[in-house]
Amino acid sequence: MAIMDIFSDVQQFLSEPKKLFIGGEWVEPSSGEYFPVENPATGQNFAQVSMAVEADVDRAVAAARNAQEGAWAKVQPAERSRLMIRLAELIEADAENLGQIISLENGKPYTNAYKGEVVITANIIRYFAGWPSKIEGSTIPVSPRGGEPMLNYTLREPVGVCALIVPWNFPLSMCAWKLGPVLATGCTAVLKPAEQTPLVALRLAELIQKAGIPAGVVNVLTGFGDRAGAPLSAHDDVDKIAFTGSTGVGRMIAKAAAGNMKKVSLELGGKSPNIILPDADIVRAAKGSADGIFYNQGQVCTAASRLYVHESVLDQTLEELRKHAAAHLVGPGLDPANTMGPLVSREQHGIVKGYVDRALNEGAELICGGKAPAHLEGGYFMEPTVFLDRQEQACIAREEIFGPVVTVMSWSDVDELVHRANNTPFGLAAGVWTNNLKQAHTIAAKLKAGSVWINCWNVVDPASPFGGYKQSGWGREMGKNVIDAYTETKSVFVDLS
Ligand code: NAI
Ligand code: MG
């Protein structure tokens, strides 16, 4: 099949250098500088966006503060819901354009961008649109020492101005994970998308404006981590920071946030163990495990990157995995025939290739993949790759790769297996494939991970909490848990004597 044409709305959107969105207006960057956005399927630059620097951070935070204490504070909960539902509808109406923009800047297949990410984004905003009228305090029966009658109640208030720093792997839905609770709780935001994928966040800003969400509630700064992200995370007038990305940058953000004691939530890396028990439906388990590592070219924080297979079903599982890897068509995401696109950037491709080379040097056995498909030039492609590591000693068994590379290991004793599965600094996700109810729940209880999937993988729902143990993060997103992260609780005492 052929590469699809760029929709006329998208052409129009890309035709001029993109400005920053501050205080409800499109403004020039104070640096006067722009940077290019690259199509990772071709290596060609196709758009220019503004380079935000510290002065822009100051402007955007001031606009967010202004909205926080002004117009937005006057908007009633029911009206916030209405605005959010309107935004979800606008996202749905623009789904094809959003999908194409995501595919262009991130590389992922158009269908995954459009039917997957854009639809999920609208669903997330809709879910959070139900919250504004349900964020409530309580009355608490207190016992004053003097015996005087006392009324005590709590108020839930927005935490304030939130810095949202998001990565490139899900450039639109990651914005929604954070903007959903921001809008629901009555907070305001300065959003900094990743430098690789700034465009879809700007398109979202247009829809936010169109939905009638007041000026300054959401501000978008395109730029780099050092010049925009760092001053934003250190800013004294930011009340909370929510970050998704690498564990290294998460650590820097936690330090920067300490200056004014910002509230911090972090969603970081992973090296998630995926366990196949001997009684599992192997055909289904292998399919789920392949999807768990190859989806989004493996650039998923919850990628099923460590696969522990019971020794009695190892050969069968490897055979199935080889089949699934071979069935993938790797190529430009805008060719509807392709099921896997390129990695996001030359840098990411280099990281993944580096891991493959190291694994080979360290004695891991290559089952399939491991290189860029021969017929593709110019883009950052990588075949779906399966390694067998009998000794569990290669770095690919321990470190986050963030690419379509799974490390298969075998096991025989279940207690030792659980120990091996938990023997990692990460704790984002884990999975078990089995038809044994008792084993499933017993192992699920022992795994140190924020999400455990039994006979499935990568199931995420806006109603259910998501986040990491250990170095995979701080706090939970989604569900009612995230509402706590974006609100302060005030306890009010009234002496009734
Ligand atoms: P990164 O953590 O550097 O980038 C994520 C976001 O943080 C981007 O918006 C970036 O501009 C911003 N940022 C970078 N440095 C910053 C700083 N000093 N202060 C504030 N913000 C900063 O991730 P990168 O470099 O794109 O990818 C490197 C590795 O990180 C990947 O190979 C992968 O292992 C991991 N990663 C994990 C993600 C996840 O979903 N957990 C997402 C993206 C990357
Ligand atoms: Mg980085």
Side-chain angles (χ1 to χ4, degrees):
M1 265 192 259
I3 304 272
M4 59 198 290
D5 291 333
I6 305 301
F7 302 136
S8 60
D9 282 357
V10 175
Q11 279 178 20
Q12 167 92 31
F13 175 76
L14 299 175
S15 61
E16 297 208 341
K18 306 307 292 180
K19 296 181 178 173
L20 302 172
F21 187 58
I22 299 178
E25 296 185 8
W26 294 94
V27 300
E28 305 279 353
S30 60
S31 65
E33 293 171 55
Y34 292 79
F35 64 96
V37 184
E38 185 183 21
N39 177 347
T42 61
Q44 307 288 312
N45 296 336
F46 67 97
Q48 296 284 323
V49 299
S50 296
M51 174 77 81
V53 296
E54 189 164 0
D56 303 305
V57 170
D58 289 341
R59 282 199 286 171
V61 171
R65 174 64 60 196
N66 201 24
Q68 179 70 49
E69 285 171 6
W72 195 225
K74 298 192 189 83
V75 175
Q76 291 190 333
E79 175 65 4
R80 290 209 301 278
S81 291
R82 198 191 62 78
L83 290 167
M84 293 175 74
I85 290 167
R86 176 93 185 103
L87 176 60
E89 288 166 353
L90 289 170
I91 290 168
E92 280 161 352
D94 200 38
E96 294 183 355
N97 297 326
L98 290 163
Q100 206 172 51
I101 294 168
I102 293 171
S103 185
L104 275 169
E105 62 183 350
N106 166 282
K108 68 178 72 182
Y110 169 72
T111 314
N112 292 0
Y114 159 45
K115 296 215 168 109
E117 196 172 344
V118 178
V119 171
I120 287 168
T121 297
N123 288 346
I124 292 169
I125 297 295
R126 259 182 223 291
Y127 167 79
F128 282 106
W131 267 106
S133 55
K134 287 138 201 112
I135 301 168
E136 54 191 25
S138 47
T139 56
I140 299 168
V142 292
S143 309
R145 279 206 282 170
E148 63 275 31
M150 188 75 71
L151 170 65
N152 176 233
Y153 61 89
T154 58
L155 295 171
R156 301 286 297 282
E157 299 175 354
V159 71
V161 175
C162 301
L164 314 178
I165 300 182
V166 300
W168 43 260
N169 53 343
F170 293 95
L172 180 64
S173 62
M174 283 294 118
C175 298
W177 279 47
K178 293 170 171 50
L179 286 174
V182 159
L183 297 171
T185 54
C187 290
T188 60
V190 178
L191 169 67
K192 198 206 81 63
E195 56 273 24
Q196 298 86 347
T197 56
L199 291 166
V200 77
L202 295 172
R203 184 77 180 179
L204 180 64
E206 291 184 357
L207 302 178
I208 286 170
Q209 194 174 23
K210 206 164 158 190
I213 291 168
V217 172
V218 178
N219 306 275
V220 181
L221 297 181
T222 52
F224 284 72
D226 51 354
R227 293 176 76 186
L232 185 56
S233 43
H235 202 289
D236 273 345
D237 204 30
V238 170
D239 300 298
K240 176 190 164 60
I241 183 157
F243 170 75
T244 299
S246 61
T247 298
V249 172
R251 214 169 268 125
M252 287 160 74
I253 283 176
K255 281 188 192 138
N260 71 334
M261 291 295 168
K262 287 178 190 66
K263 311 296 178 263
V264 180
S265 53
L266 303 171
E267 301 287 351
L268 308 174
K271 190 71 190 175
S272 299
N274 179 23
I275 297 165
I276 299 183
L277 266 59
D279 71 277
D281 174 342
I282 300 302
V283 170
R284 181 171 160 191
K287 169 81 170 80
S289 301
D291 290 346
I293 185 66
F294 300 141
Y295 182 67
N296 216 39
Q297 296 67 244
Q299 302 165 131
V300 184
C301 50
T302 53
S305 53
R306 285 191 292 150
L307 177 56
Y308 289 100
V309 184
H310 189 266
E311 57 185 9
S312 66
V313 291
L314 180 63
D315 290 343
Q316 190 192 347
T317 305
L318 287 175
E319 201 39 55
E320 290 288 321
L321 288 175
R322 210 182 266 127
K323 240 169 37 192
H324 292 300
H328 271 293
L329 282 176
V330 181
L334 287 183
D335 180 340
N338 292 326
T339 58
M340 283 175 70
L343 300 177
V344 72
S345 63
R346 180 183 297 278
E347 183 190 359
Q348 194 60 27
H349 190 268
I351 293 174
V352 175
K353 193 71 185 62
Y355 274 112
V356 168
D357 294 343
R358 254 174 89 185
L360 292 170
N361 285 332
E362 291 171 351
E365 213 176 301
L366 184 65
I367 304 296
C368 61
K371 55 187 189 322
H375 64 289
L376 295 168
E377 277 173 14
Y380 310 124
F381 297 96
M382 175 61 76
E383 290 172 341
T385 301
V386 180
F387 272 105
L388 178 63
D389 183 10
R390 294 185 192 275
Q391 309 304 324
E392 194 169 344
Q393 265 169 1
C395 59
I396 54 164
R398 293 186 307 275
E399 294 175 26
E400 180 171 60
I401 300 173
F402 230 63
V405 181
V406 62
T407 309
V408 182
M409 292 155 291
S410 66
W411 63 275
S412 52
D413 176 78
V414 74
D415 293 326
E416 193 207 329
L417 162 75
V418 169
H419 173 77
R420 285 165 69 190
N422 285 332
N423 187 19
T424 164
F426 298 113
L428 197 56
V432 185
W433 299 86
T434 179
N435 288 312
N436 181 328
L437 207 54
K438 189 174 138 191
Q439 285 278 35
H441 293 291
T442 305
I443 295 174
K446 288 182 180 164
L447 289 169
K448 293 191 166 53
S451 293
V452 176
W453 289 303
I454 298 173
N455 295 328
C456 55
W457 196 275
N458 272 344
V459 183
V460 176
D461 191 289
S464 185
F466 179 95
Y469 284 37
K470 299 191 269 183
Q471 292 181 33
S472 289
W474 285 353
R476 293 292 176 272
E477 297 193 284
M478 304 297 202
K480 63 182 179 209
N481 301 62
V482 77
I483 300 298
D484 290 341
Y486 287 80
T487 51
E488 293 278 18
T489 301
K490 179 182 283 170
S491 174
V492 181
F493 288 92
V494 188
D495 187 335
L496 297 175
S497 63

